[in-house]
Amino acid sequence: MENSAQSERLPHLHESELFHAIKNPAFRRIGLMGRAGKRSVIQSLIQVANTVNEMNLTLIMDVQTANLPTLNLVDIEKVKIVKRSLIGEICDLVIVVGGDGSILHAAEALARYRVPVLGVNRGRLGFLADVKPNEVAFKLRQVLMGDYQLDHRFLLTMEIREGDNILHEDMALNDIVLHAGKSVHMIDFQMKIDGQDVYRQHSDGLIAATPTGSTAYALSGGGPIIHPSMDAICLVPMHPHTLSSRPIVVSGNSEICIRIHEDNRTQPMVSADGKPSVPLEQDQRLYIRKHPDKLTLLHPPGFEFYEACRTKLHWNVHAEEFSLDSDDDDDIEDVADIVDSESADIANIEFNDNTSGYGADDDSESPR
């Protein structure tokens, strides 16, 4: 991850009194995309649009976003409408409003142009869309003034081949998934990596994930979390019919080849980033490797991957709830006093029980 030149020169730019008066923005043509038609998404779209217009920058929106049913363009002062396929070519920065899924859909149109993408989170987790809705105006101004971090994420490409013919190809930022579709039967398939036999497996399928996708579907399948800076591909079996099958992490430059075995009894399907699945037949091969393009994510200053894991995956919930690292030592002393007092009471009770029935007078009866 790299900081912008402006971030290095002015690390506290947003705290400056002249912050809102800077006349040399880092980006001038701002693209705006949104996917879901939820009210919260529309609110953030309008907020972003108004902030861009207030800074006298050019706002460009794609046709699909402009046609969202609940979006009224009258609420936006100035905006240009273009085809989605052109937005990456003509914009300096693209802002995507929605969840991580919205960025996945935008990646296909934007990756080839290397245009940076900033995500405003209106979804659930927000590993990719990391700007909170209540911070949109402030964070957006930081970024537009040149205070940001760049994060380059590699993608995967998939090809279904029959002989030398490519029947289907697609790309994915998160993962490419081989699955059994609607069937409850397992898939019988063989896998090679860089031409070397790996295994023949009976399972519900296989997840081939990038480091970006390691915190998505692959994580729920028991795969490892891989730092985004790693050049690696994670292969996660889905419910394998063996206790020894485990996720494998291979070089990001590897080529994975999957062939359906002749004994297979179900129709295998393949999907890239949750897009509509396509069938994989026995006489075909599925090839997975790194895509030549990368998606450039843009983060406001202060973004940290591990901090995102702590907040999104709730790593510290138990530790913080029962932490003894308190600034108030009196609280700890009070707890210790209570424990000591209760211990003394218990000891006293035990002593009384032991002596009440067996005093100096041997004629006294033992308690019942």
XYZ file of all heavy atoms in Angstrom, residues 274-350:
624
model
N -19.703 -14.495 -7.909
C -21.144 -14.598 -7.720
C -21.974 -14.268 -8.943
O -23.215 -14.207 -8.846
N -21.342 -14.073 -10.073
C -22.099 -13.816 -11.307
C -22.770 -15.115 -11.790
O -22.458 -16.190 -11.285
C -21.153 -13.249 -12.374
C -20.753 -11.798 -12.118
C -19.730 -11.295 -13.118
C -18.341 -11.719 -12.737
N -17.289 -11.068 -13.557
N -23.702 -15.024 -12.733
C -24.402 -16.233 -13.195
C -23.441 -17.358 -13.560
O -22.424 -17.139 -14.220
C -25.175 -15.736 -14.424
C -25.432 -14.281 -14.131
C -24.214 -13.800 -13.397
N -23.770 -18.557 -13.115
C -22.900 -19.714 -13.302
C -23.001 -20.272 -14.710
O -24.034 -20.141 -15.386
C -23.252 -20.804 -12.289
O -23.094 -20.341 -10.968
N -21.920 -20.911 -15.139
C -21.885 -21.587 -16.440
C -21.481 -23.038 -16.199
O -20.757 -23.353 -15.256
C -20.894 -20.910 -17.409
C -21.368 -19.517 -17.756
C -19.495 -20.868 -16.803
N -21.959 -23.978 -17.030
C -21.645 -25.397 -16.818
C -20.215 -25.738 -17.250
O -19.642 -25.101 -18.131
C -22.676 -26.106 -17.696
C -23.002 -25.118 -18.775
C -22.911 -23.768 -18.141
N -19.663 -26.752 -16.583
C -18.355 -27.295 -16.956
C -18.542 -28.779 -17.267
O -18.878 -29.575 -16.387
C -17.349 -27.109 -15.807
C -15.939 -27.662 -16.043
C -15.256 -26.933 -17.198
C -15.094 -27.566 -14.775
N -18.340 -29.154 -18.532
C -18.579 -30.520 -18.971
C -17.319 -31.376 -18.828
O -16.210 -30.859 -18.636
C -19.056 -30.532 -20.433
C -20.252 -29.630 -20.719
C -21.519 -30.073 -19.995
O -21.556 -31.233 -19.519
O -22.475 -29.268 -19.922
N -17.489 -32.703 -18.963
C -16.376 -33.620 -18.762
C -15.270 -33.460 -19.794
O -14.098 -33.694 -19.498
C -16.889 -35.066 -18.767
C -17.696 -35.429 -17.527
C -18.122 -36.884 -17.524
O -17.862 -37.612 -18.473
N -18.789 -37.299 -16.459
N -15.615 -33.078 -21.006
C -14.601 -32.929 -22.045
C -14.018 -31.519 -22.087
O -13.316 -31.158 -23.040
C -15.186 -33.289 -23.409
C -16.418 -32.460 -23.750
O -16.960 -31.804 -22.833
O -16.837 -32.470 -24.928
N -14.288 -30.735 -21.059
C -13.782 -29.362 -20.985
C -12.796 -29.214 -19.822
O -12.733 -30.069 -18.930
C -14.943 -28.376 -20.819
C -15.930 -28.402 -21.981
C -17.189 -27.610 -21.705
O -17.399 -27.110 -20.600
N -18.057 -27.515 -22.717
N -12.044 -28.136 -19.833
C -11.082 -27.844 -18.781
C -11.326 -26.420 -18.261
O -11.621 -25.519 -19.046
C -9.636 -27.951 -19.282
C -9.263 -29.295 -19.863
C -9.175 -30.370 -18.796
N -8.723 -31.645 -19.359
C -9.520 -32.563 -19.866
N -10.840 -32.352 -19.897
N -9.037 -33.695 -20.345
N -11.182 -26.273 -16.947
C -11.284 -24.957 -16.327
C -9.879 -24.497 -15.955
O -9.186 -25.170 -15.185
C -12.171 -25.011 -15.081
C -12.177 -23.746 -14.200
C -12.761 -22.556 -14.955
C -12.959 -24.002 -12.913
N -9.462 -23.356 -16.486
C -8.145 -22.796 -16.186
C -8.322 -21.512 -15.376
O -9.132 -20.640 -15.740
C -7.364 -22.500 -17.470
C -6.905 -23.735 -18.209
C -7.718 -24.336 -19.168
C -5.662 -24.305 -17.942
C -7.301 -25.479 -19.846
C -5.234 -25.445 -18.614
C -6.059 -26.027 -19.560
O -5.650 -27.155 -20.223
N -7.557 -21.413 -14.309
C -7.612 -20.237 -13.437
C -6.190 -19.706 -13.238
O -5.281 -20.473 -12.897
C -8.228 -20.579 -12.059
C -9.644 -21.130 -12.232
C -8.240 -19.355 -11.153
C -10.230 -21.689 -10.930
N -6.006 -18.400 -13.435
C -4.698 -17.784 -13.226
C -4.885 -16.293 -12.967
O -6.004 -15.771 -13.026
C -3.788 -18.007 -14.433
C -4.317 -17.427 -15.728
C -3.379 -17.699 -16.897
N -3.911 -17.169 -18.144
C -4.762 -17.799 -18.925
N -5.194 -19.012 -18.594
N -5.197 -17.238 -20.039
N -3.800 -15.630 -12.692
C -3.847 -14.198 -12.397
C -4.219 -13.402 -13.649
O -3.733 -13.677 -14.752
C -2.486 -13.724 -11.864
C -2.459 -12.259 -11.449
C -1.048 -11.777 -11.155
C -0.458 -12.496 -9.977
N 0.900 -11.971 -9.640
N -5.073 -12.403 -13.458
C -5.466 -11.515 -14.563
C -4.371 -10.465 -14.766
O -3.726 -10.031 -13.805
C -6.796 -10.834 -14.210
C -7.470 -10.175 -15.369
N -7.112 -8.925 -15.831
C -8.491 -10.593 -16.170
C -7.874 -8.599 -16.846
N -8.719 -9.591 -17.085
N -4.126 -10.035 -16.005
C -3.068 -9.045 -16.242
C -3.349 -7.671 -15.632
O -2.418 -6.905 -15.367
C -2.991 -8.963 -17.775
C -4.316 -9.495 -18.263
C -4.727 -10.517 -17.265
N -4.619 -7.344 -15.406
C -4.963 -6.044 -14.826
C -5.113 -6.145 -13.313
O -5.330 -7.223 -12.769
C -6.277 -5.520 -15.429
C -6.163 -5.253 -16.913
O -5.084 -4.825 -17.357
O -7.148 -5.493 -17.634
N -5.006 -4.996 -12.655
C -5.236 -4.903 -11.213
C -6.284 -3.842 -10.931
O -6.436 -2.898 -11.703
C -3.940 -4.546 -10.473
C -2.893 -5.642 -10.471
C -1.716 -5.257 -9.593
C -0.697 -6.384 -9.520
N 0.441 -6.041 -8.620
N -6.984 -4.014 -9.816
C -7.924 -2.988 -9.372
C -7.212 -2.116 -8.346
O -6.631 -2.624 -7.376
C -9.164 -3.608 -8.746
C -10.213 -2.595 -8.252
C -10.870 -1.885 -9.437
C -11.276 -3.275 -7.396
N -7.257 -0.809 -8.560
C -6.622 0.131 -7.638
C -7.673 0.668 -6.680
O -8.546 1.449 -7.070
C -5.963 1.298 -8.401
O -5.001 0.775 -9.323
C -5.263 2.240 -7.431
N -7.599 0.237 -5.434
C -8.492 0.758 -4.396
C -7.853 1.985 -3.761
O -6.630 2.047 -3.586
C -8.751 -0.292 -3.320
C -9.537 -1.539 -3.731
C -9.663 -2.482 -2.549
C -10.908 -1.164 -4.260
N -8.679 2.935 -3.418
C -8.201 4.144 -2.767
C -8.828 4.227 -1.379
O -10.045 4.091 -1.233
C -8.562 5.365 -3.615
C -7.968 6.704 -3.197
C -7.721 7.581 -4.419
C -8.898 7.427 -2.240
N -7.995 4.413 -0.371
C -8.465 4.514 1.013
C -8.160 5.901 1.560
O -7.113 6.473 1.244
C -7.779 3.478 1.902
C -7.895 2.066 1.426
N -9.065 1.348 1.513
C -6.986 1.240 0.849
C -8.863 0.138 1.011
N -7.620 0.049 0.610
N -9.039 6.430 2.403
C -8.701 7.653 3.128
C -7.499 7.395 4.028
O -7.176 6.247 4.333
C -9.960 7.941 3.946
C -11.046 7.172 3.276
C -10.398 5.961 2.704
N -6.791 8.436 4.472
C -5.615 8.235 5.322
C -5.961 7.504 6.608
O -7.045 7.675 7.159
C -5.135 9.676 5.602
C -6.320 10.542 5.329
C -7.076 9.869 4.235
N -5.029 6.663 7.047
C -5.226 5.945 8.300
C -5.782 4.547 8.146
O -5.968 3.851 9.143
N -6.037 4.106 6.903
C -6.578 2.767 6.707
C -5.542 1.712 7.091
O -4.374 1.792 6.708
C -6.997 2.558 5.252
C -7.379 1.134 4.927
C -8.637 0.650 5.239
C -6.464 0.269 4.324
C -8.987 -0.662 4.945
C -6.808 -1.037 4.032
C -8.074 -1.499 4.342
N -5.964 0.690 7.843
C -5.113 -0.433 8.216
C -5.900 -1.728 8.051
O -7.028 -1.841 8.534
C -4.623 -0.314 9.669
C -3.722 0.889 9.921
C -3.276 0.960 11.374
O -3.594 0.007 12.132
O -2.624 1.937 11.743
N -5.294 -2.704 7.379
C -5.982 -3.966 7.116
C -6.334 -4.698 8.402
O -7.446 -5.218 8.558
C -5.114 -4.856 6.226
C -5.691 -6.234 5.997
C -6.790 -6.411 5.180
C -5.130 -7.350 6.611
C -7.333 -7.667 4.964
C -5.660 -8.611 6.402
C -6.760 -8.770 5.575
N -5.401 -4.744 9.348
C -5.658 -5.489 10.582
C -6.723 -4.800 11.431
O -7.510 -5.459 12.116
C -4.365 -5.659 11.380
C -3.324 -6.465 10.639
C -2.106 -5.914 10.279
C -3.580 -7.785 10.281
C -1.161 -6.644 9.585
C -2.649 -8.533 9.582
C -1.429 -7.956 9.238
O -0.507 -8.690 8.548
N -6.752 -3.486 11.377
C -7.803 -2.761 12.089
C -9.157 -3.086 11.477
O -10.163 -3.244 12.190
C -7.531 -1.263 12.049
C -8.365 -0.427 13.006
C -9.704 0.002 12.422
O -9.811 0.026 11.170
O -10.622 0.310 13.202
N -9.193 -3.220 10.146
C -10.436 -3.603 9.476
C -10.859 -5.001 9.903
O -12.047 -5.262 10.129
C -10.254 -3.543 7.958
N -9.904 -5.920 10.043
C -10.236 -7.272 10.496
C -10.788 -7.244 11.919
O -11.758 -7.946 12.225
C -8.996 -8.167 10.440
S -8.461 -8.614 8.779
N -10.178 -6.432 12.782
C -10.649 -6.369 14.164
C -12.092 -5.892 14.244
O -12.899 -6.428 15.005
C -9.751 -5.431 14.991
C -8.386 -5.990 15.308
C -7.726 -5.197 16.426
N -7.561 -3.787 16.090
C -6.533 -3.270 15.438
N -5.559 -4.070 15.033
N -6.450 -1.978 15.185
N -12.421 -4.872 13.449
C -13.760 -4.292 13.530
C -14.784 -5.110 12.750
O -15.904 -5.317 13.225
C -13.751 -2.850 13.014
O -13.229 -2.824 11.671
C -12.876 -1.964 13.889
N -14.415 -5.597 11.571
C -15.383 -6.327 10.741
C -15.618 -7.748 11.236
O -16.739 -8.265 11.158
C -14.908 -6.373 9.279
C -14.504 -5.039 8.680
C -15.632 -4.051 8.613
C -15.172 -2.761 7.932
N -16.232 -1.740 7.907
N -14.568 -8.390 11.736
C -14.673 -9.786 12.158
C -14.789 -9.924 13.675
O -14.814 -11.033 14.194
C -13.456 -10.574 11.656
C -13.256 -10.587 10.133
C -12.011 -11.372 9.761
C -14.476 -11.160 9.425
N -14.814 -8.791 14.372
C -15.019 -8.769 15.829
C -13.968 -9.600 16.564
O -14.275 -10.376 17.460
C -16.427 -9.277 16.174
C -17.521 -8.561 15.447
N -17.844 -7.246 15.694
C -18.352 -8.963 14.451
C -18.832 -6.873 14.896
N -19.156 -7.897 14.125
N -12.711 -9.403 16.181
C -11.636 -10.163 16.817
C -11.495 -9.851 18.308
O -11.158 -10.711 19.090
C -10.313 -9.854 16.118
C -10.116 -10.629 14.865
C -10.951 -11.586 14.351
C -9.031 -10.530 13.951
N -10.443 -12.083 13.168
C -9.271 -11.450 12.900
C -7.879 -9.755 13.899
C -8.381 -11.619 11.837
C -7.001 -9.916 12.847
C -7.252 -10.837 11.827
N -11.725 -8.589 18.681
C -11.403 -8.162 20.042
C -12.605 -8.098 20.972
O -12.487 -7.570 22.062
C -10.737 -6.778 20.016
C -9.259 -6.876 19.717
O -8.764 -7.940 19.390
N -8.557 -5.770 19.828
N -13.744 -8.586 20.564
C -14.947 -8.441 21.384
C -14.753 -9.074 22.751
O -14.991 -8.462 23.786
C -16.167 -9.069 20.669
C -17.356 -9.120 21.610
C -16.512 -8.250 19.428
N -14.309 -10.328 22.782
C -14.136 -11.028 24.066
C -13.037 -10.357 24.885
O -13.195 -10.134 26.086
C -13.780 -12.488 23.813
C -13.594 -13.295 25.073
N -14.650 -13.844 25.760
C -12.471 -13.618 25.772
C -14.199 -14.484 26.825
N -12.870 -14.367 26.852
N -11.922 -10.007 24.242
C -10.795 -9.434 24.971
C -11.154 -8.093 25.599
O -10.765 -7.793 26.725
C -9.603 -9.275 24.031
N -11.907 -7.267 24.866
C -12.246 -5.943 25.384
C -13.291 -6.039 26.488
O -13.276 -5.266 27.443
C -12.760 -5.071 24.238
C -11.674 -4.707 23.234
C -12.234 -3.967 22.039
O -13.475 -3.824 21.986
O -11.443 -3.531 21.183
N -14.183 -7.009 26.386
C -15.244 -7.129 27.375
C -14.702 -7.533 28.737
O -15.183 -7.106 29.774
C -16.280 -8.153 26.897
C -17.479 -8.283 27.821
C -18.509 -9.242 27.260
O -18.332 -9.695 26.112
O -19.484 -9.532 27.970
N -13.652 -8.382 28.733
C -13.126 -8.902 29.987
C -11.717 -8.395 30.272
O -10.977 -8.988 31.043
C -13.115 -10.433 29.944
C -14.489 -11.024 29.811
C -14.964 -11.458 28.588
C -15.321 -11.138 30.916
C -16.231 -11.993 28.461
C -16.592 -11.669 30.796
C -17.050 -12.102 29.572
N -11.353 -7.291 29.625
C -9.998 -6.770 29.819
C -9.811 -6.231 31.227
O -10.695 -5.615 31.812
C -9.724 -5.657 28.797
O -8.478 -5.068 29.051
N -8.608 -6.466 31.806
C -8.256 -5.916 33.113
C -7.339 -4.709 32.982
O -6.828 -4.209 33.974
C -7.552 -6.994 33.967
C -8.429 -8.187 34.371
C -7.612 -9.171 35.199
C -9.643 -7.724 35.171
N -7.091 -4.281 31.736
C -6.237 -3.124 31.514
C -7.042 -1.863 31.727
O -7.444 -1.167 30.798
C -5.663 -3.136 30.084
C -4.772 -4.341 29.875
O -4.213 -4.814 30.883
O -4.639 -4.781 28.730
N -7.311 -1.542 32.985
C -8.130 -0.384 33.325
C -7.247 0.751 33.790
O -6.242 0.551 34.475
C -9.131 -0.747 34.424
O -9.829 0.400 34.871
N -7.604 1.981 33.399
C -6.858 3.150 33.847
C -7.148 3.470 35.303
O -6.400 4.180 35.957
C -7.213 4.364 32.973
C -6.745 4.180 31.547
O -5.772 3.422 31.364
O -7.352 4.776 30.646
N -8.259 2.960 35.802
C -8.654 3.253 37.176
C -8.221 2.096 38.069
O -8.881 1.077 38.171
C -10.184 3.455 37.249
C -10.623 3.995 38.599
O -9.753 4.087 39.497
O -11.817 4.311 38.740
N -7.053 2.260 38.728
C -6.533 1.200 39.585
C -7.428 0.957 40.791
O -7.427 -0.125 41.379
C -5.117 1.559 40.067
C -4.125 1.576 38.911
O -4.392 0.888 37.916
O -3.091 2.272 39.015
N -8.211 1.998 41.172
C -9.090 1.839 42.323
C -10.122 0.755 42.090
O -10.514 0.027 43.006
C -9.803 3.171 42.648
C -8.816 4.218 43.137
O -7.724 3.808 43.607
O -9.132 5.419 43.051
N -10.600 0.650 40.800
C -11.593 -0.373 40.484
C -11.023 -1.767 40.736
O -11.691 -2.646 41.268
C -12.040 -0.260 39.020
C -12.813 1.032 38.779
O -13.287 1.607 39.771
O -12.940 1.434 37.606
N -9.753 -1.957 40.340
C -9.122 -3.254 40.527
C -8.932 -3.540 42.014
O -9.153 -4.651 42.483
C -7.769 -3.295 39.790
C -7.995 -3.080 38.282
C -7.048 -4.611 40.044
C -6.725 -3.036 37.481
N -8.527 -2.498 42.772
C -8.333 -2.678 44.206
C -9.646 -3.008 44.896
O -9.706 -3.835 45.809
C -7.713 -1.412 44.807
C -6.277 -1.174 44.330
C -5.719 0.131 44.859
O -6.471 0.836 45.577
O -4.552 0.439 44.582
N -10.738 -2.349 44.448
C -12.044 -2.622 45.040
C -12.445 -4.074 44.819
O -12.977 -4.743 45.704
C -13.112 -1.690 44.444
C -12.897 -0.241 44.884
O -12.153 -0.048 45.866
O -13.463 0.655 44.237
N -12.201 -4.568 43.591
C -12.517 -5.960 43.299
C -11.705 -6.893 44.176
O -12.199 -7.875 44.720
C -12.252 -6.263 41.799
C -12.403 -7.754 41.536
C -13.214 -5.466 40.927
N -10.407 -6.564 44.353
C -9.545 -7.394 45.190
C -10.020 -7.400 46.633
O -10.015 -8.430 47.311
C -8.102 -6.900 45.096
N -10.463 -6.215 47.145
C -10.960 -6.133 48.518
C -12.201 -7.001 48.703
O -12.363 -7.677 49.724
C -11.274 -4.674 48.870
C -10.007 -3.825 48.975
O -8.912 -4.434 49.122
O -10.114 -2.586 48.896
N -13.089 -6.960 47.695
C -14.315 -7.763 47.772
C -13.976 -9.238 47.811
O -14.515 -10.012 48.598
C -15.245 -7.449 46.583
C -15.762 -6.015 46.687
C -16.401 -8.432 46.536
C -16.520 -5.561 45.457
N -13.039 -9.663 46.963
C -12.640 -11.069 46.919
C -12.034 -11.493 48.247
O -12.350 -12.553 48.788
C -11.642 -11.306 45.768
C -11.084 -12.727 45.838
C -12.321 -11.068 44.433
N -11.133 -10.632 48.794
C -10.506 -10.956 50.071
C -11.546 -11.057 51.184
O -11.491 -11.934 52.048
C -9.467 -9.891 50.432
C -8.253 -9.963 49.504
O -8.073 -11.016 48.864
O -7.500 -8.970 49.422
N -12.516 -10.123 51.162
C -13.551 -10.118 52.192
C -14.405 -11.371 52.134
O -14.703 -11.999 53.142
C -14.433 -8.869 52.034
O -15.502 -8.889 52.950
N -14.790 -11.758 50.896
C -15.610 -12.954 50.727
C -14.834 -14.201 51.141
O -15.379 -15.123 51.749
C -16.079 -13.069 49.284
C -17.105 -11.997 48.898
C -17.535 -12.136 47.458
O -16.892 -12.920 46.737
O -18.515 -11.467 47.075
N -13.526 -14.218 50.847
C -12.705 -15.367 51.229
C -12.629 -15.498 52.742
O -12.693 -16.598 53.293
C -11.302 -15.223 50.630
O -11.364 -15.171 49.227
N -12.514 -14.328 53.414
C -12.443 -14.343 54.874
C -13.754 -14.853 55.469
O -13.765 -15.620 56.424
C -12.116 -12.951 55.390
N -14.874 -14.405 54.895
C -16.179 -14.845 55.394
C -16.335 -16.352 55.250
O -16.842 -17.042 56.153
C -17.309 -14.130 54.646
C -17.345 -12.634 54.986
O -16.764 -12.270 56.027
O -17.943 -11.871 54.211
N -15.905 -16.867 54.105
C -16.022 -18.306 53.869
C -15.168 -19.079 54.865
O -15.583 -20.086 55.439
C -15.599 -18.641 52.425
C -16.605 -18.041 51.439
C -15.489 -20.150 52.218
C -16.179 -18.149 49.997
N -13.941 -18.585 55.108
C -13.049 -19.250 56.061
C -13.644 -19.235 57.454
O -13.565 -20.219 58.198
C -11.676 -18.574 56.050
N -14.275 -18.108 57.839
C -14.871 -17.980 59.162
C -16.035 -18.958 59.342
O -16.205 -19.578 60.381
C -15.328 -16.545 59.384
C -15.801 -16.288 60.809
O -15.157 -16.740 61.755
N -16.912 -15.580 60.953
N -16.841 -19.076 58.276
C -17.974 -20.005 58.323
C -17.485 -21.427 58.509
O -17.994 -22.195 59.321
C -18.823 -19.884 57.047
C -19.531 -18.532 57.007
C -19.838 -21.012 56.969
C -20.212 -18.247 55.686
N -16.429 -21.803 57.759
C -15.891 -23.147 57.863
C -15.345 -23.411 59.267
O -15.487 -24.486 59.844
C -14.802 -23.354 56.816
C -15.356 -23.400 55.398
C -14.250 -23.537 54.382
O -13.065 -23.379 54.776
O -14.561 -23.801 53.213
